[in-house]
Amino acid sequence: MHGGFEHKLGVLFVCLGNICRSPMAEGAFRAVAEQRGLSCLVDSAGTASYHVGSQPDPRAIAVASLHGIDIAGQAARQIERDDFYRFSHIIAMDRANLEGLRSKAPRDGTARLAMLMDAVDGRRGEPVADPYYGNTQAFETAWSVIALGVEAWTARLLLESQTQRRA
Ligand code: 4NP
């Protein structure tokens, strides 16, 4: 069985390779959640398997480090069936990732699927552009977008967890 974790907050960030965007989102979210006192299971995964076991892209490690966050210890993995039960929220970086998740989701999966920018006022549905084929600037741009997204998700989840505790 799937163990009854559904009530607990858990956030899984998902991109294609799990070496650029979702590792940055995982690192950024961990830091913000900790600052704000949000207790939450946090992880990241890719829809594809090309990079399983790899460390994040050196450019992602570098930009995270510039912002004071160490993501070098992460290792890429692919999304798996259990993730749709273990995590309350699975957050995709772009529309293709979201479609990939929808096609893999078990019918009775309990996780809510969304896109990172859905929590940001006025930017619902906006993708985090894939920086993999871009330059250093593309990673810096991705970081800025991700930073906005994780702030907004932290605020939203804090509200949700407070509302649930009162209910
Ligand atoms: P990510 O970036 O999805 O943000 O980790 C990519 C990493 C690798 C590839 C594509 C995107 N790739 O095609 O290998």
Side-chain angles (χ1 to χ4, degrees):
M1 277 312 287
H2 294 287
F5 291 108
E6 292 83 358
H7 61 286
K8 234 198 143 245
L9 218 45
V11 181
L12 181 68
F13 295 98
V14 171
C15 60
L16 178 62
N18 193 211
I19 56 167
C20 299
R21 292 164 293 173
S22 61
M24 293 194 283
E26 178 187 338
F29 183 86
R30 262 184 214 290
V32 177
E34 191 175 325
Q35 277 165 19
R36 301 283 166 81
L38 178 69
S39 165
C40 187
L41 174 68
V42 187
D43 199 4
S44 65
T47 56
S49 62
Y50 325 121
H51 298 281
V52 168
S54 299
Q55 205 182 22
D57 187 286
R59 299 165 295 174
I61 294 175
V63 75
S65 172
L66 277 173
H67 293 272
I69 291 166
D70 181 5
I71 63 167
Q74 295 185 28
R77 71 173 181 90
Q78 190 175 20
I79 181 101
E80 56 190 33
R81 194 175 191 281
D82 255 15
D83 292 326
F84 293 94
Y85 305 92
R86 284 178 62 224
F87 292 90
S88 56
H89 297 73
I90 302 182
I91 301 179
M93 297 297 118
D94 65 28
R95 176 105 9 225
N97 306 150
L98 183 63
E99 292 309 321
L101 286 170
R102 285 195 178 127
S103 72
K104 288 170 193 280
R107 214 170 304 155
D108 66 344
T110 45
R112 282 191 255 165
L113 308 184
M115 276 170 67
L116 183 71
M117 295 305 277
D118 286 353
V120 181
D121 279 344
R123 297 179 72 166
R124 193 179 172 78
E126 189 179 308
V128 182
D130 186 353
Y132 186 64
Y133 296 103
N135 54 17
T136 308
Q137 183 55 50
F139 279 80
E140 190 55 63
T141 301
W143 182 272
S144 315
V145 176
I146 286 166
L148 281 173
V150 301
E151 283 280 353
W153 274 102
T154 304
R156 179 183 281 197
L157 295 173
L158 269 171
L159 258 174
E160 274 182 27
S161 63
Q162 284 157 5
T163 312
Q164 270 160 25
R165 225 171 289 136
R166 253 182 269 123

